[in-house]
Amino acid sequence: MLKDYLNQKKEILENKVNEYLSDLEYPWQIADGMKYAILNGGKRIRPILLFMILDLFNKDEKFAYPTAVGLEMIHSYSLVHDDLPALDNDDYRRGKLTTHKKFGEAEGILIGDALLTHAFNIFTEKNIGLLSSEKIVEIVRLTSSYAGINGMIGGQMIDIESEGKKIDMETLKYIHKNKTGKLLRLPIEFGCIIADVPLEIRKKLEEFADLIGLAFQIKDDILDIEGDFDTLGKPIGSDVELEKSTYPSLIGLVESKKLLIEITENAKNIIKNNFSEEKGKLLIELADYIAFRKK
């Protein structure tokens, strides 16, 4: 059931990306690079999470299309910049050349910038007539917070600063909560905004979001040790090479796997305790998918 849902929603999302980017042609390096970066494979977990929340509350997913595309553009920009020589210096992502390897380093920087800034054009222009002005402003506010210094960028900065150093668990939690967790929490909050979810239920879903965000990053840390290029689409062992602090490096691989299972069960229990089995089934399956995926 989950596999079919993921494939169906992924196709819908990518069709919408193509639609929204179809009018971008010049400069061609930027237009083509944006399309290459965002359509170069990917699981689309973040926009799919947004669709799941709307499904949970019987809200038509068409109200989320622009927001889902904008969110995926921001995620894609972050990957383009992560891969640059000054950061992780990766040549491959999802089995294909990284954007800066395909188009050039200067072009890669500008392509990432273009994805980030154009996302806000999508959030605003494409949402007019779909969402109220108040909801559009709240979506923009949350995005600028969670993708910026108080979220992803802040987490990335401390991650870079911590390379080659022994850090404590609180610092590692900060890195993961912000670098990865905030952009996984964002679609769930978006869904709550669009569907007018009551505050009490929204807080429960935010707890779920924080847990699966942490699970996602722990699993990434584990895959960097146990994965392989053919499965992951990129070289493994980069965390060790860059001397990054990870859960396996702090508490060991075995304890990391135990923690991953514990966090995932806690996330699933939030859904089980607040929604019917039928309503919560997809979110529970998604939590397992995040924790036990092979790539």
Side-chain angles (χ1 to χ4, degrees), residues 15-29:
N15 286 338
K16 282 297 175 183
V17 169
N18 270 316
E19 177 187 332
Y20 292 166
L21 297 186
S22 63
D23 59 345
L24 302 180
E25 296 179 356
Y26 187 82
W28 71 265
Q29 300 97 325

Side-chain angles (χ1 to χ4, degrees), residues 1-252:
M1 181 179 179
L2 178 65
K3 183 179 179 181
D4 291 340
Y5 185 94
L6 294 177
N7 289 335
Q8 177 194 3
K9 301 306 180 186
K10 179 178 177 180
E11 183 178 356
I12 289 170
L13 186 279
E14 291 177 352
N15 286 338
K16 282 297 175 183
V17 169
N18 270 316
E19 177 187 332
Y20 292 166
L21 297 186
S22 63
D23 59 345
L24 302 180
E25 296 179 356
Y26 187 82
W28 71 265
Q29 300 97 325
I30 303 300
D32 287 358
M34 290 169 71
K35 294 165 191 170
Y36 179 85
I38 195 170
L39 294 170
N40 190 13
K43 295 179 282 293
R44 316 301 183 194
I45 292 295
R46 291 155 191 82
I48 288 172
L49 262 172
L50 171 51
F51 295 150
M52 282 185 174
I53 298 301
L54 294 197
D55 287 344
L56 190 64
F57 296 100
N58 301 314
K59 185 80 171 180
D60 193 328
E61 69 180 28
K62 74 177 183 182
F63 292 102
Y65 288 156
T67 308
V69 171
L71 176 59
E72 191 66 4
M73 290 176 73
I74 287 175
H75 173 57
S76 297
Y77 120 77
S78 75
L79 300 181
V80 171
H81 280 189
D82 269 356
D83 292 335
L84 288 166
L87 293 174
D88 290 348
N89 194 26
D90 281 324
D91 294 343
Y92 292 93
R93 180 171 290 279
R94 300 161 180 163
K96 300 178 182 177
L97 286 174
T98 49
T99 303
H100 73 276
K101 282 293 180 180
K102 176 81 171 176
F103 293 89
E105 185 176 342
E107 290 84 353
I109 293 169
L110 293 175
I111 288 163
D113 291 343
L115 284 166
L116 171 62
T117 52
H118 198 64
F120 287 94
N121 178 268
I122 300 292
F123 285 141
T124 51
E125 184 178 303
K126 300 295 185 183
N127 268 324
I128 293 172
L130 274 181
L131 304 178
S132 68
S133 298
E134 290 79 10
K135 288 182 179 181
I136 293 171
V137 168
E138 183 63 4
I139 285 167
V140 168
R141 184 190 71 80
L142 274 178
T143 304
S144 60
S145 175
Y146 285 10
I149 187 172
N150 294 316
M152 181 179 66
I153 296 298
Q156 287 175 323
M157 184 66 251
I158 302 304
D159 188 29
I160 292 168
E161 189 181 63
S162 300
E163 288 176 7
K165 299 177 183 177
K166 186 173 179 59
I167 63 171
D168 58 27
M169 182 57 74
E170 286 307 306
T171 303
L172 185 62
K173 286 179 179 178
Y174 172 87
I175 292 170
H176 285 355
K177 179 180 179 180
N178 288 278
K179 181 182 176 182
T180 303
K182 286 288 179 71
L183 281 199
L184 280 164
R185 177 174 171 139
L186 199 50
I188 289 180
E189 293 207 46
F190 284 163
C192 290
I193 291 166
I194 294 169
D196 297 307
V197 175
L199 182 60
E200 184 179 350
I201 296 298
R202 177 170 172 170
K203 287 188 177 299
K204 295 293 183 184
L205 288 169
E206 288 169 1
E207 288 178 33
F208 171 80
D210 289 341
L211 289 168
I212 63 169
L214 180 54
F216 193 98
Q217 186 59 58
I218 294 174
K219 182 62 176 180
D220 262 8
D221 290 350
I222 293 169
L223 286 172
D224 193 67
I225 296 171
E226 295 188 336
D228 60 76
F229 180 87
D230 289 339
T231 303
L232 297 181
K234 62 180 181 179
I236 62 166
S238 60
D239 288 344
V240 175
E241 186 178 335
L242 293 170
E243 298 184 82
K244 285 183 177 287
S245 293
T246 63
Y247 273 84
S249 72
L250 257 66
I251 63 175

